[in-house]
Each structure stands twice: as C-alpha cells, then as structure tokens.
C-alpha cells in the first residue's frame, strides 16, 4: 500500500511485535508515524532504530493525552497498546484492564479531538471458547467472565462496546480488527506464545512443550499479512463502522504445529505434554469472507514460508529485529 504519503499516523503499542512491523511498513509507504508506548512488552531500542517519533507514555494515564498535547494531531490511530501473550496479560490483570479500557477511552478522546480514523486491534479471544466454527463476526462469543483469561478477553470486548457506541452516536470513525494468532520475525522467545516457544526449544534441541493433549486448534497468520489487513482498514472507507476478522483460515492442531516446527528445523526434539491452561479455547479458525469482500484481503504467506522467514531472520537479523531475537 503506497498511498500513505502525507498521512500523520499514531501507533499506540508501536514498539510491540505487530506494532514494529506496522510502523516499518507505514514508514515505507510514506506516512509520518508517531508511536506511543510504555515499553511494557515492547522494545525501546528497536523503535529508535526505526526513526519514528516517540512518546514514552501509558495510554492509561489519567491526564488527557490530547488536551495536554502529549500526542500530535493525526489522521489515523492504530490502537495496539495491550499485552497480547497470556503470560504477560495474566501477570498484571488489572493493568491489562486499564490498558484496554482506559487506553481506548483516552485514544478515542484524541481521535475525536483531531477527527482521526480509529483502528482497534481487537482479538479472536472475544469469541472465547467458540460455540460456532469457523468464527464469524456475528458470533457473540462464549467467554468465562471471571476466569484467568477474562482480564484480556473481557476488556477487549468492553473496548469494542465503547468504540461501537462512539461509532453509532456519530462521535468517531471506528474500525475494529479481530486479529487471530499472528506470528513472525521479531517475536521474543520468552513471551510464552507457541511459535517462538517451539522454535527456541527445537533449535536448542530441547523437548517441545505442549499444554494439553495438542488436539486444540489454532490458525496462524504471518505478520506481514496481518499488517496488510490493518493498513487496508486504516485507509478504506469500506471498513468504517465494521468489525472484521483478520487471520489465516488454515486450521492446525497444536500437535501438528509442533511437529511442523520440529521438521522445519531438522530437530528430533521430543514433544512433552503439560496440563492445559484454564479456559484455553478448543478451536480457533476465522471466517474471512468479510475481509475478502470489504478489503479485498486474504493472507498470502503459507506456514512453511513464514517459518523459513523466521529462520532466515535468526541467521541474518535486521536492524529492527536484532534487539529482540535471542
Ligand atoms: N500477536 C497476536 O497474535 C495478536 C492476536 C490478537 C490480537 N492482538 C492484538 O494486537 C496488539 C499487538 O499485539 P502484539 O503481539 O504486538 O503484542 P506486544 O505485547 O508485542 O505489543 C504490545 C505493545 O503495547 C505496549 N503497551 C501495552 N500496554 C500499554 C499502555 N497502556 N500504554 C502504552 N503502551 C502499551 C507494549 O509495551 C508493547 O510495545 C494487541 O492489542 C493485541 O491484543 C495480537
């Protein structure tokens, strides 16, 4: 997408895994990019390497970030400011609530003050342990509101409610992306997500750890595909007021994923099984009919290609990714 030239863009959470890829691609497309990030799970040094403009700030801070001129006027806001790995969001559940609910409030204020379009990075976790398969945007979800994952699932749902109310009352131009599992270069080995875990274990010749019996499924989208969808949502009028699944509909069991990673890295590591986390979803697969229809988008990077890109990145790290890879 080349037509970002002249656009001023704010990426909240821009120092995180998806954020760094989004910021890089926006800069390449000619946008002026501002990043707000408290570096809770993000990489400050990587951001400096990107030469975007930075505001080190919590989106949850109670002062009005717009009126106090903490943030510059922008045309498009991407709100990615939330921990995404269960290990991170469960370590500080109240902070996760604040990031997702107060953070959305403050950024919405800013969007209203400067008339910006607002792209919210929501999540497939709003479907909880889904009752319908594959997951369609009209599904209401099946979430345990008091379980250990609820701080993330329910606060993302609350943010969706807030933003859709702002859209319905004509106060803001809102676009909601429900992102399914995304992987790619620049993920940190210790952040608890399956792909970096399996990769680091396979490369070290250690057993690959599966939580549960491995029959639960996931659909994995390569990060450049996710970023492409987010950028289309930021520019295209067809996304206004819409909730759109962003994910790769190729569904695999966790066991298949572990075996594929092992084979891809020529590893003979054993696979070991640990107890399955509470409320871990059984199946995950997006229906992406709406993304195809409204955005003309569908993912193009296969799982094998994605793993190859990650392996090459380890051998030859880029300026942005050098900091985070082990
Ligand atoms: N990666 C995925 O598979 C996935 C799937 C679904 C949804 N998402 C969503 O996409 C977004 C980005 O995910 P990611 O994988 O890049 O996560 P990440 O943890 O790598 O990045 C999140 C970034 O937000 C920053 N941040 C968190 N709270 C903040 C706050 N209150 N103020 C300012 N900065 C804050 C962190 O420091 C970090 O840089 C998240 O909102 C996440 O919920 C990601």
């Amino acid at each position: 997408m080349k037509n970002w030239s002249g656009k001023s863009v704010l990426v909240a959470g821009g120092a995180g895994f998806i954020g760094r890829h989004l910021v890089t691609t926006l800069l390449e497309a000619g946008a002026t990019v501002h990043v707000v990030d408290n570096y809770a799970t993000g990489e400050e040094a990587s951001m400096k390497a990107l030469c975007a403009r930075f505001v080190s700030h919590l989106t949850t801070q109670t002062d009005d970030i717009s009126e106090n001129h903490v943030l510059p006027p922008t045309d498009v806001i991407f709100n990615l400011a939330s921990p995404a790995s269960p290990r991170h969001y469960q370590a500080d559940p109240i902070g996760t609530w604040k990031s997702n609910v107060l953070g959305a409030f403050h950024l919405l204020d800013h969007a209203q003050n400067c008339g910006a379009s607002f792209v919210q990075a929501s999540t497939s976790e709003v479907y909880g342990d889904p009752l319908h398969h594959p997951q369609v945007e009209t599904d209401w979800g099946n979430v345990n509101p008091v379980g250990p994952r609820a701080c993330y699932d329910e606060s993302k749902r609350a943010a969706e409610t807030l933003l859709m109310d702002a859209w319905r009352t004509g106060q803001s131009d809102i676009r909601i992306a429900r992102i399914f599992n995304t992987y790619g270069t620049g993920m940190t080995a210790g952040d608890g997500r399956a792909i970096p875990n399996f990769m680091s274990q396979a490369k070290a010749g250690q057993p690959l750890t599966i939580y549960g019996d491995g029959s639960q499924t996931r659909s994995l989208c390569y990060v450049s595909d996710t970023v492409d969808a987010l950028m289309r949502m930021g520019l295209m009028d067809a996304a206004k007021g819409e909730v759109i699944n962003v994910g790769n509909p190729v569904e695999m069991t966790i066991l298949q994923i572990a075996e594929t990673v092992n084979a891809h890295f020529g590893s003979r590591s054993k696979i070991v099984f640990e107890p399955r986390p509470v409320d871990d979803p059984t199946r995950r697969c997006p229906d992406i009919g709406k993304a195809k229809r409204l955005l003309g988008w569908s993912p193009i990077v296969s799982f094998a290609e994605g793993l190859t890109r990650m392996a090459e990145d380890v051998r030859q790290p880029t300026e942005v990714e050098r900091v985070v890879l082990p």
Side-chain angles (χ1 to χ4, degrees):
M1 293 217 123
K2 297 288 174 203
N3 38 354
W4 284 83
S5 180
K7 298 252 183 238
S8 172
V9 181
L10 177 71
V11 182
F17 158 56
I18 297 176
R20 292 194 302 278
H21 286 274
L22 176 62
V23 169
T24 309
T25 314
L26 284 166
L27 289 169
E28 284 166 3
T32 300
V33 183
H34 306 269
V35 169
V36 56
D37 201 297
N38 67 339
Y39 306 113
T41 56
E43 295 282 341
E44 187 166 10
S46 313
M47 276 289 98
K48 287 195 171 134
L50 275 175
C51 300
R53 298 153 195 226
F54 309 105
V55 185
S56 179
H57 196 81
L58 267 167
T59 56
T60 53
Q61 236 158 277
T62 46
D63 53 319
D64 184 318
I65 46 187
S66 192
E67 277 173 14
N68 290 333
H69 305 293
V70 174
L71 300 179
T74 42
D75 301 306
V76 183
I77 295 174
F78 290 93
N79 179 20
L80 279 66
S82 163
S85 156
R87 180 174 295 171
H88 290 147
Y89 68 64
Q90 288 175 357
D92 180 14
I94 307 295
T96 300
W97 265 97
K98 287 181 177 170
S99 289
N100 280 322
V101 179
L102 292 180
F105 259 114
H106 293 150
L107 291 167
L108 178 62
D109 268 350
H110 185 60
Q112 287 168 347
N113 288 342
C114 55
S117 307
F118 190 119
V119 181
Q120 167 73 356
S122 191
T123 170
S124 59
E125 297 297 318
V126 301
Y127 297 116
D129 197 9
L131 300 175
H132 307 286
H133 198 77
Q135 288 77 65
V136 186
E137 289 87 346
T138 47
D139 293 348
W140 290 359
N142 178 37
V143 175
N144 173 1
V146 292
R149 299 176 76 97
C151 60
Y152 182 72
D153 303 4
E154 294 285 24
S155 63
K156 287 283 192 183
R157 286 165 66 96
E160 285 198 6
T161 306
L162 165 73
L163 295 170
M164 285 312 285
D165 282 338
W167 163 255
R168 266 192 297 269
T169 53
Q171 295 175 47
S172 244
D173 167 0
I174 300 295
R175 300 127 191 253
I176 296 176
R178 286 192 184 146
I179 303 172
F180 285 64
N181 292 83
T182 294
Y183 72 104
T185 55
M187 296 183 93
T188 45
D191 86 355
R193 292 185 261 195
I195 297 297
N197 270 5
F198 290 158
M199 277 184 65
S200 57
Q201 288 171 330
K203 280 188 278 159
Q206 293 167 352
L208 273 59
T209 315
I210 286 181
Y211 298 95
D213 65 5
S215 64
Q216 67 272 41
T217 67
R218 296 293 182 268
S219 304
L220 300 168
C221 193
Y222 194 73
V223 66
S224 56
D225 284 328
T226 299
V227 164
D228 180 20
L230 292 175
M231 287 175 64
R232 286 173 193 246
M233 287 186 68
L235 275 192
M236 295 175 71
D237 283 350
K240 281 187 183 180
E242 298 291 347
V243 177
I244 303 177
N245 284 341
V246 172
N248 190 319
V250 177
E251 186 181 8
M252 289 177 284
T253 66
I254 291 283
L255 182 59
Q256 284 172 327
I257 294 170
E259 287 170 344
T260 307
V261 171
N262 238 348
H264 199 87
F265 291 97
S267 160
R268 295 186 178 179
S269 292
K270 285 191 308 185
I271 293 177
V272 296
F273 298 87
E274 300 268 340
R276 186 148 165 218
V278 176
D279 297 335
D280 186 44
T282 312
R283 297 188 76 180
R284 259 294 174 270
C285 182
D287 180 311
I288 59 165
K290 193 170 178 183
K292 284 183 181 166
R293 201 171 62 252
L294 295 185
L295 309 174
W297 174 88
S298 49
I300 54 175
V301 181
S302 68
F303 189 41
E305 169 64 17
L307 289 179
T308 301
R309 290 189 194 182
M310 289 180 82
E312 281 169 1
D313 175 64
V314 172
R315 281 197 295 274
Q316 201 172 30
T318 64
E319 188 65 25
V320 180
E321 290 148 351
R322 184 174 299 133
V323 183
V324 287
L325 287 168

